[in-house]
Protein backbone atom coordinates (compact mmCIF):
# COMPACT_ATOMS: atom_id res chain seq x y z
CA UNK A 1 0.00 0.00 0.00
CA UNK A 2 1.32 3.46 -0.91
CA UNK A 3 2.12 5.98 1.82
CA UNK A 4 2.42 9.75 1.86
CA UNK A 5 5.21 11.46 3.80
CA UNK A 6 3.99 14.51 5.74
CA UNK A 7 6.38 16.42 7.99
CA UNK A 8 7.86 13.31 9.54
CA UNK A 9 4.47 11.57 9.66
CA UNK A 10 2.99 9.05 7.19
CA UNK A 11 -0.64 8.62 6.16
CA UNK A 12 -1.72 5.46 4.45
CA UNK A 13 -3.23 5.98 1.01
CA UNK A 14 -6.57 4.54 2.12
CA UNK A 15 -9.73 6.26 0.71
CA UNK A 16 -11.70 5.60 3.90
CA UNK A 17 -9.01 6.97 6.22
CA UNK A 18 -9.98 10.17 8.04
CA UNK A 19 -7.64 13.15 8.24
CA UNK A 20 -7.75 16.35 10.28
CA UNK A 21 -7.53 19.65 8.40
CA UNK A 22 -6.84 23.09 9.85
CA UNK A 23 -7.79 25.63 7.19
CA UNK A 24 -6.99 29.11 8.46
CA UNK A 25 -8.13 28.14 11.96
CA UNK A 26 -11.29 26.35 10.76
CA UNK A 27 -11.11 22.64 11.69
CA UNK A 28 -12.51 19.89 9.46
CA UNK A 29 -12.61 16.09 9.42
CA UNK A 30 -12.83 14.33 6.08
CA UNK A 31 -11.52 11.27 4.26
CA UNK A 32 -8.69 10.75 1.81
CA UNK A 33 -11.34 9.53 -0.64
CA UNK A 34 -13.19 12.86 -0.54
CA UNK A 35 -10.01 14.88 -0.97
CA UNK A 36 -8.82 12.83 -3.95
CA UNK A 37 -12.21 12.27 -5.59
CA UNK A 38 -11.77 14.99 -8.22
CA UNK A 39 -8.74 16.19 -10.14
CA UNK A 40 -7.97 19.21 -7.94
CA UNK A 41 -5.09 20.65 -5.98
CA UNK A 42 -6.32 18.70 -2.96
CA UNK A 43 -5.83 15.45 -4.85
CA UNK A 44 -2.28 16.54 -5.62
CA UNK A 45 -1.71 17.34 -1.93
CA UNK A 46 -2.89 13.91 -0.76
CA UNK A 47 -1.39 11.79 -3.52
CA UNK A 48 2.20 12.62 -2.69
CA UNK A 49 2.74 15.17 -5.45
CA UNK A 50 2.84 18.15 -3.07
CA UNK A 51 4.32 18.76 0.35
CA UNK A 52 1.80 18.67 3.17
CA UNK A 53 2.56 20.17 6.58
CA UNK A 54 1.15 19.22 9.98
CA UNK A 55 1.34 20.81 13.40
CA UNK A 56 2.36 19.09 16.65
CA UNK A 57 -1.21 17.81 17.18
CA UNK A 58 -1.39 16.18 13.78
CA UNK A 59 -3.62 18.76 12.08
CA UNK A 60 -2.81 19.18 8.40
CA UNK A 61 -2.29 22.89 7.80
CA UNK A 62 -3.72 24.70 4.77
CA UNK A 63 -2.93 28.39 4.64
CA UNK A 64 -6.29 29.63 3.33
CA UNK A 65 -9.36 31.26 4.81
CA UNK A 66 -11.63 28.55 6.19
CA UNK A 67 -15.00 30.29 5.81
CA UNK A 68 -16.02 28.41 2.65
CA UNK A 69 -13.97 25.23 3.05
CA UNK A 70 -17.01 23.30 4.26
CA UNK A 71 -18.74 24.16 0.99
CA UNK A 72 -15.63 23.04 -0.89
CA UNK A 73 -15.73 19.65 0.87
CA UNK A 74 -19.46 19.22 0.20
CA UNK A 75 -18.87 19.89 -3.48
CA UNK A 76 -16.12 17.25 -3.55
CA UNK A 77 -18.48 14.79 -1.85
CA UNK A 78 -21.66 15.43 -3.85
CA UNK A 79 -20.59 17.15 -7.06
CA UNK A 80 -22.90 20.13 -6.42
CA UNK A 81 -23.73 22.57 -3.62
CA UNK A 82 -26.22 25.41 -3.04
CA UNK A 83 -24.46 28.71 -3.69
CA UNK A 84 -24.60 31.64 -1.23
CA UNK A 85 -27.26 34.32 -1.68
CA UNK A 86 -25.06 37.41 -1.78
CA UNK A 87 -22.77 38.32 -4.65
CA UNK A 88 -19.98 39.03 -2.17
CA UNK A 89 -20.01 35.50 -0.75
CA UNK A 90 -20.33 33.91 -4.19
CA UNK A 91 -17.22 35.84 -5.25
CA UNK A 92 -15.40 34.65 -2.12
CA UNK A 93 -16.35 31.03 -2.85
CA UNK A 94 -15.25 31.42 -6.48
CA UNK A 95 -11.81 32.61 -5.30
CA UNK A 96 -11.44 29.56 -3.04
CA UNK A 97 -12.61 27.19 -5.76
CA UNK A 98 -10.10 28.72 -8.16
CA UNK A 99 -7.29 28.31 -5.62
CA UNK A 100 -8.09 24.61 -5.16
CA UNK A 101 -8.40 24.21 -8.98
CA UNK A 102 -12.03 23.03 -8.78
CA UNK A 103 -13.06 24.18 -12.26
CA UNK A 104 -16.70 23.04 -12.10
CA UNK A 105 -17.41 25.00 -8.91
CA UNK A 106 -15.50 28.04 -10.18
CA UNK A 107 -17.60 28.06 -13.35
CA UNK A 108 -20.86 27.67 -11.38
CA UNK A 109 -19.92 30.66 -9.21
CA UNK A 110 -18.99 32.78 -12.23
CA UNK A 111 -22.30 31.97 -13.94
CA UNK A 112 -24.21 32.89 -10.77
CA UNK A 113 -22.36 36.22 -10.56
CA UNK A 114 -23.20 36.99 -14.19
CA UNK A 115 -26.86 36.24 -13.55
CA UNK A 116 -26.93 38.47 -10.49
CA UNK A 117 -25.24 41.22 -12.47
CA UNK A 118 -28.13 41.19 -14.92
CA UNK A 119 -30.75 41.39 -12.18
CA UNK A 120 -32.21 44.80 -11.43
CA UNK A 121 -31.56 45.77 -7.84
CA UNK A 122 -33.57 48.41 -6.02
CA UNK A 123 -31.55 51.62 -5.94
CA UNK A 124 -33.84 53.44 -3.55
CA UNK A 125 -35.51 51.81 -0.57
CA UNK A 126 -37.86 53.69 1.75
CA UNK A 127 -38.88 51.83 4.93
CA UNK A 128 -42.48 51.94 6.12
CA UNK A 129 -42.45 52.09 9.90
CA UNK A 130 -44.68 49.70 11.84
CA UNK A 131 -44.32 51.18 15.33
CA UNK A 132 -42.96 54.12 17.27
CA UNK A 133 -40.15 51.93 18.61
CA UNK A 134 -39.10 50.96 15.09
CA UNK A 135 -39.08 54.61 14.03
CA UNK A 136 -36.81 55.58 16.94
CA UNK A 137 -34.42 52.71 16.18
CA UNK A 138 -34.17 53.68 12.52
CA UNK A 139 -33.50 57.34 13.26
CA UNK A 140 -31.02 56.84 16.12
CA UNK A 141 -29.06 54.02 14.45
CA UNK A 142 -28.41 55.72 11.11
CA UNK A 143 -25.41 57.96 10.50
CA UNK A 144 -27.37 59.93 7.89
CA UNK A 145 -29.82 62.76 8.44
CA UNK A 146 -33.41 61.55 8.13
CA UNK A 147 -36.67 62.83 6.64
CA UNK A 148 -40.00 61.31 7.65
CA UNK A 149 -43.28 61.90 5.84
CA UNK A 150 -46.45 61.17 7.79
CA UNK A 151 -49.41 60.52 5.50
CA UNK A 152 -52.78 59.60 6.97
CA UNK A 153 -55.62 60.18 4.54
CA UNK A 154 -57.94 58.14 6.76
CA UNK A 155 -57.81 60.71 9.54
CA UNK A 156 -61.21 61.92 8.42
CA UNK A 157 -62.48 63.64 11.55
CA UNK A 158 -63.66 66.55 9.42
CA UNK A 159 -64.36 66.75 5.71
CA UNK A 160 -61.57 67.85 3.36
CA UNK A 161 -61.38 70.99 1.29
CA UNK A 162 -61.63 70.59 -2.47
CA UNK A 163 -57.87 70.88 -3.08
CA UNK A 164 -56.72 68.71 -0.18
CA UNK A 165 -56.63 65.41 -2.06
CA UNK A 166 -54.52 66.91 -4.83
CA UNK A 167 -52.14 68.41 -2.28
CA UNK A 168 -51.78 65.07 -0.50
CA UNK A 169 -50.66 63.54 -3.79
CA UNK A 170 -48.27 66.45 -4.37
CA UNK A 171 -46.64 65.82 -0.98
CA UNK A 172 -46.21 62.13 -1.78
CA UNK A 173 -44.78 62.93 -5.22
CA UNK A 174 -42.35 65.45 -3.72
CA UNK A 175 -41.25 62.92 -1.10
CA UNK A 176 -40.63 60.31 -3.81
CA UNK A 177 -38.66 62.82 -5.87
CA UNK A 178 -36.44 63.84 -2.94
CA UNK A 179 -35.85 60.21 -1.96
CA UNK A 180 -34.51 59.53 -5.45
CA UNK A 181 -32.31 62.63 -5.48
CA UNK A 182 -30.77 62.12 -2.04
CA UNK A 183 -31.07 58.34 -1.55
CA UNK A 184 -27.36 58.01 -0.75
CA UNK A 185 -27.23 60.95 1.65
CA UNK A 186 -30.51 60.92 3.59
CA UNK A 187 -32.61 58.21 5.24
CA UNK A 188 -36.20 58.61 4.04
CA UNK A 189 -38.99 57.10 6.15
CA UNK A 190 -42.71 56.91 5.45
CA UNK A 191 -45.23 56.80 8.30
CA UNK A 192 -48.72 55.58 7.38
CA UNK A 193 -49.85 54.36 10.81
CA UNK A 194 -49.76 57.48 13.01
CA UNK A 195 -53.05 59.26 13.59
CA UNK A 196 -51.82 62.49 15.15
CA UNK A 197 -51.65 64.39 11.83
CA UNK A 198 -52.86 64.10 8.25
CA UNK A 199 -49.71 65.21 6.47
CA UNK A 200 -46.49 66.24 8.18
CA UNK A 201 -42.78 66.32 7.29
CA UNK A 202 -40.24 65.81 10.09
CA UNK A 203 -36.50 66.39 9.68
CA UNK A 204 -33.85 64.72 11.88
CA UNK A 205 -30.14 65.37 12.30
CA UNK A 206 -27.73 63.35 14.44
CA UNK A 207 -30.64 61.22 15.64
CA UNK A 208 -32.68 64.16 16.95
CA UNK A 209 -35.64 66.11 15.60
CA UNK A 210 -34.51 69.36 13.99
CA UNK A 211 -37.71 70.77 12.49
CA UNK A 212 -41.03 69.89 10.94
CA UNK A 213 -43.42 71.17 8.32
CA UNK A 214 -47.06 70.47 9.09
CA UNK A 215 -49.12 70.58 5.91
CA UNK A 216 -52.62 70.27 7.38
CA UNK A 217 -54.86 72.65 9.28
CA UNK A 218 -58.52 73.21 10.16
CA UNK A 219 -60.55 75.88 8.39
CA UNK A 220 -64.04 77.04 9.29
CA UNK A 221 -66.88 77.31 6.82
CA UNK A 222 -70.44 78.44 7.37
CA UNK A 223 -71.70 74.92 7.83
CA UNK A 224 -68.86 72.95 9.47
CA UNK A 225 -65.12 72.55 9.93
CA UNK A 226 -62.89 71.34 7.10
CA UNK A 227 -59.47 69.73 6.98
CA UNK A 228 -57.14 71.65 4.72
CA UNK A 229 -53.98 70.10 3.25
CA UNK A 230 -51.30 72.17 1.54
CA UNK A 231 -47.99 71.36 -0.17
CA UNK A 232 -45.48 74.10 0.81
CA UNK A 233 -42.73 73.00 -1.58
CA UNK A 234 -40.43 75.96 -0.85
CA UNK A 235 -40.43 75.21 2.89
CA UNK A 236 -39.80 71.51 2.31
CA UNK A 237 -36.91 72.19 -0.08
CA UNK A 238 -35.44 74.62 2.43
CA UNK A 239 -35.55 72.15 5.30
CA UNK A 240 -34.11 69.43 3.07
CA UNK A 241 -31.11 71.67 2.33
CA UNK A 242 -30.77 72.44 6.02
CA UNK A 243 -30.81 68.77 6.98
CA UNK A 244 -27.96 68.04 4.58
CA UNK A 245 -25.77 70.14 6.87
CA UNK A 246 -26.07 67.34 9.44
CA UNK A 247 -24.18 64.85 7.27
CA UNK A 248 -20.99 65.61 9.21
CA UNK A 249 -20.69 64.60 12.84
CA UNK A 250 -19.43 68.07 13.79
CA UNK A 251 -22.84 69.57 13.26
CA UNK A 252 -24.04 72.35 10.96
CA UNK A 253 -22.36 75.71 10.70
CA UNK A 254 -24.65 78.46 12.01
CA UNK A 255 -23.85 80.82 9.14
CA UNK A 256 -24.69 78.11 6.62
CA UNK A 257 -27.97 77.45 8.41
CA UNK A 258 -28.89 81.11 8.13
CA UNK A 259 -27.78 81.26 4.51
CA UNK A 260 -30.09 78.37 3.55
CA UNK A 261 -33.06 79.81 5.41
CA UNK A 262 -35.22 82.47 3.77
CA UNK A 263 -36.49 83.61 7.15
CA UNK A 264 -33.28 83.15 9.14
CA UNK A 265 -32.50 80.45 11.66
CA UNK A 266 -32.60 80.43 15.42
CA UNK A 267 -30.23 78.18 17.38
CA UNK A 268 -29.28 76.27 14.29
CA UNK A 269 -32.77 75.26 13.13
CA UNK A 270 -35.69 76.79 11.28
CA UNK A 271 -39.15 76.51 12.80
CA UNK A 272 -42.42 77.06 11.02
CA UNK A 273 -45.54 78.58 12.50
CA UNK A 274 -49.10 77.80 11.67
CA UNK A 275 -51.03 79.75 9.02
CA UNK A 276 -52.81 81.74 11.71
CA UNK A 277 -49.51 82.73 13.35
CA UNK A 278 -48.02 83.79 10.03
CA UNK A 279 -51.06 85.96 9.33
CA UNK A 280 -50.69 87.59 12.75
CA UNK A 281 -47.00 88.22 12.11
CA UNK A 282 -47.85 89.79 8.78
CA UNK A 283 -50.40 92.11 10.38
CA UNK A 284 -47.86 93.10 13.04
CA UNK A 285 -45.35 94.02 10.34
CA UNK A 286 -47.95 96.12 8.51
CA UNK A 287 -48.86 97.95 11.73
CA UNK A 288 -45.19 98.59 12.46
CA UNK A 289 -44.66 100.11 9.01
CA UNK A 290 -47.79 102.22 9.40
CA UNK A 291 -46.70 103.55 12.80
CA UNK A 292 -43.11 104.13 11.69
CA UNK A 293 -43.24 105.37 8.08
CA UNK A 294 -39.84 105.86 6.40
Amino acid sequence: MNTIEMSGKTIKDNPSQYVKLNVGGSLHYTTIGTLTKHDTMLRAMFSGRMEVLTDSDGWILIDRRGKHFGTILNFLRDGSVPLPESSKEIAELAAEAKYYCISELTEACNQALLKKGREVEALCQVPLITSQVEEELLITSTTKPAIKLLINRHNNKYSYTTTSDDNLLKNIELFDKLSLWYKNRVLFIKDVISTSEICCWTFYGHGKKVSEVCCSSIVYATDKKHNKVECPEARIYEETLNILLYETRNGPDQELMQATSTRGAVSGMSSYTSDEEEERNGLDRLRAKKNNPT
Side-chain angles (χ1 to χ4, degrees):
M1 183 176 292
N2 295 328
T3 60
I4 305 171
E5 296 290 338
M6 301 192 317
S7 298
K9 181 179 179 181
T10 61
I11 289 184
K12 295 179 180 179
D13 189 9
N14 181 356
S16 62
Q17 181 181 354
Y18 273 84
V19 293
K20 304 187 297 183
L21 303 177
N22 182 340
V23 186
S26 178
L27 306 181
H28 301 269
Y29 283 99
T30 189
T31 64
I32 294 293
T34 295
L35 295 170
T36 59
K37 189 173 183 179
H38 299 271
D39 186 14
T40 67
M41 191 186 79
L42 291 168
R43 173 186 282 182
M45 290 175 64
F46 291 91
S47 62
R49 287 180 283 164
M50 294 181 62
E51 182 183 3
V52 178
L53 302 176
T54 63
D55 63 12
S56 58
D57 295 323
W59 290 91
I60 299 170
L61 305 177
I62 300 178
D63 188 18
R64 293 293 293 182
R65 187 182 182 192
K67 177 180 179 181
H68 298 288
F69 193 74
T71 304
I72 296 290
L73 289 178
N74 284 335
F75 183 84
L76 296 178
R77 294 180 182 115
D78 305 326
S80 64
V81 287
L83 297 181
E85 291 292 331
S86 71
S87 297
K88 178 178 179 293
E89 293 201 345
I90 294 176
E92 292 174 354
L93 179 57
E96 296 303 305
K98 183 177 180 181
Y99 174 80
Y100 293 113
C101 301
I102 308 175
S103 57
E104 297 90 344
L105 182 55
T106 304
E107 179 63 22
C109 290
N110 290 335
Q111 291 297 324
L113 289 172
L114 286 174
K115 182 179 179 181
K116 280 188 170 291
R118 291 191 294 266
E119 293 177 355
V120 178
E121 297 183 1
L123 299 178
C124 179
Q125 297 180 346
V126 177
L128 287 173
I129 65 169
T130 60
S131 67
Q132 185 68 31
V133 173
E134 183 183 32
E135 175 187 328
E136 292 176 358
L137 286 175
L138 283 170
I139 293 171
T140 56
S141 62
T142 184
T143 58
K144 302 176 181 178
I147 298 176
K148 183 189 74 172
L149 174 63
L150 186 160
I151 287 287
N152 181 20
R153 175 64 178 81
H154 301 290
N155 188 355
N156 199 17
K157 186 176 180 180
Y158 310 108
S159 61
Y160 287 79
T161 60
T162 56
T163 59
S164 290
D165 283 332
D166 287 340
N167 285 329
L168 275 171
L169 290 175
K170 288 180 180 179
N171 277 282
I172 296 173
E173 290 172 353
L174 179 57
F175 180 82
D176 293 342
K177 185 187 298 182
L178 291 174
S179 65
L180 287 175
W181 287 353
Y182 300 110
K183 59 182 180 293
N184 296 322
R185 302 175 64 182
V186 177
L187 171 65
F188 289 87
I189 304 171
K190 191 171 287 187
D191 181 355
V192 294
I193 62 171
S194 299
T195 59
S196 57
E197 297 286 349
I198 296 172
C199 181
C200 185
W201 296 69
T202 310
F203 301 83
Y204 300 89
H206 300 167
K208 297 180 180 179
K209 179 179 175 181
V210 174
S211 60
E212 71 175 25
V213 179
C214 184
C215 304
S216 58
S217 59
I218 298 174
V219 296
Y220 295 87
T222 55
D223 53 345
K224 57 182 178 180
K225 298 178 182 178
H226 294 275
N227 280 321
K228 179 182 180 182
V229 179
E230 298 177 307
C231 182
E233 291 190 18
R235 294 182 179 181
I236 295 166
Y237 280 125
E238 178 182 323
E239 286 300 343
T240 301
L241 293 177
N242 283 340
I243 211 69
L244 291 177
L245 300 176
Y246 286 84
E247 287 183 288
T248 62
R249 300 309 300 175
N250 295 328
D253 184 275
Q254 298 302 315
E255 292 183 359
L256 286 176
M257 291 291 291
Q258 292 180 359
T260 57
S261 173
T262 57
R263 291 177 304 280
V266 179
S267 299
M269 70 175 70
S270 297
S271 60
Y272 294 113
T273 59
S274 65
D275 292 342
E276 291 84 355
E277 289 173 327
E278 288 188 351
E279 290 175 1
R280 286 197 297 270
N281 292 336
L283 290 174
D284 290 340
R285 287 193 295 271
L286 289 175
R287 293 191 187 99
K289 289 182 179 180
K290 184 177 181 181
N291 295 329
N292 300 288
T294 57

